[in-house]
Amino acid sequence: MYVCELMERVVSANFPTRYGNFTIYGYINKENGEHHIALVLGDVSGGNPVLVRVHSECLTGDALGSAKCDCGDQYDKAMRTIQKEERGVLVYLRQEGRGIGLINKLKAYALQDKGMDTVEANLALGFSPDHRDYTAGAEILVDLGVKKIRLMTNNPEKIAGLEKYGLEITERISIEIEHKEHCKHYMQTKKDKMGHILASY
């Protein structure tokens, strides 16, 4: 059984949303002070598989309505799916721009304006194509008592990143959405260069 060493749960509260009445949990990374949250609906502890979305922060997509990516639409779809099932977890990890931070992400946008794709832009800025780590997300799920997961993702790396912490992925649920015109090259890059499972490309 994996023992949580990195994440500390510091608060929980009732959290009414447009998707339903969730409980919000706040966590602090004991090594670097980063804050992460989990939105939980229903009883998710025990042995029954739990519907889960591990979502990396995207301020531009989640809050500002960017059409350059599918992040905001994925967040919305995940929350609506959890609401429909009346049970599930959305873990919200503070790793903006695939882990490179907001300002570097905007610098990557500027390079994309000059013709680079997202992978090329990250490399030009001195980063890997995907700088994210799922340790925090895995530890949050373990802390919540989740053992088996029906994971909403198109990203095989996310599956591998969670399974190594002892979480059992019983099902992968596609979270592909109908993409905007500005998003098509981004999605093609995800499929061709990052191995995302996308039926539309």
Side-chain angles (χ1 to χ4, degrees):
M1 180 67 178
Y2 181 78
V3 178
C4 298
E5 298 180 348
L6 188 67
M7 302 305 297
E8 178 184 4
R9 186 200 297 188
V10 295
V11 66
S12 65
N14 183 43
F15 192 64
T17 76
R18 63 178 177 268
Y19 307 102
N21 192 30
F22 285 69
T23 301
I24 188 168
Y25 294 85
Y27 291 84
I28 294 178
N29 183 317
K30 292 184 284 188
E31 287 188 356
N32 58 25
E34 287 178 345
H35 297 171
H36 306 279
I37 63 172
L39 300 174
V40 177
L41 186 64
D43 182 5
V44 299
S45 61
N48 292 329
V50 179
L51 186 64
V52 170
R53 168 71 179 167
V54 177
H55 188 89
S56 296
E57 178 183 43
C58 177
L59 177 69
T60 51
D62 298 339
L64 303 180
S66 171
K68 283 180 172 283
C69 66
D70 60 339
C71 304
D73 292 329
Q74 284 188 320
Y75 174 87
D76 181 71
K77 184 172 182 178
M79 290 292 284
R80 292 185 187 281
T81 305
I82 291 170
Q83 175 195 39
K84 185 176 180 180
E85 292 215 0
E86 299 182 340
R87 180 174 181 259
V89 181
L90 187 139
V91 178
Y92 198 88
L93 299 178
R94 305 294 303 278
Q95 42 188 8
E96 180 78 45
R98 297 194 189 122
I100 67 174
L102 180 59
I103 296 301
N104 284 321
K105 176 181 174 179
L106 298 183
K107 290 178 180 178
Y109 277 1
L111 292 175
Q112 290 168 51
D113 288 344
K114 297 177 180 178
M116 291 188 184
D117 63 33
T118 54
V119 169
E120 292 165 344
N122 270 29
L123 293 173
L125 291 170
F127 299 105
S128 62
D130 193 339
H131 215 58
R132 290 175 293 183
D133 180 85
Y134 295 105
T135 305
E139 288 206 356
I140 288 170
L141 290 168
V142 170
D143 178 73
L144 292 169
V146 176
K147 296 179 175 64
K148 297 180 180 180
I149 295 173
R150 297 166 56 225
L151 186 65
M152 290 183 278
T153 187
N154 303 324
N155 184 1
E157 290 296 320
K158 191 175 293 184
I159 296 171
L162 295 174
E163 283 183 330
K164 68 181 180 181
Y165 295 99
L167 296 164
E168 181 183 347
I169 313 296
T170 63
E171 182 183 3
R172 183 193 74 85
I173 299 172
S174 172
I175 194 163
E176 190 169 353
I177 51 132
E178 185 176 343
H179 302 116
K180 307 172 185 73
E181 185 65 32
H182 290 290
C183 195
K184 288 184 177 179
H185 183 57
Y186 169 82
M187 298 307 301
Q188 192 70 54
T189 301
K190 270 189 171 185
K191 180 176 182 178
D192 293 345
K193 293 191 176 182
M194 303 183 72
H196 286 219
I197 304 166
L198 297 167
S200 301
Y201 294 86

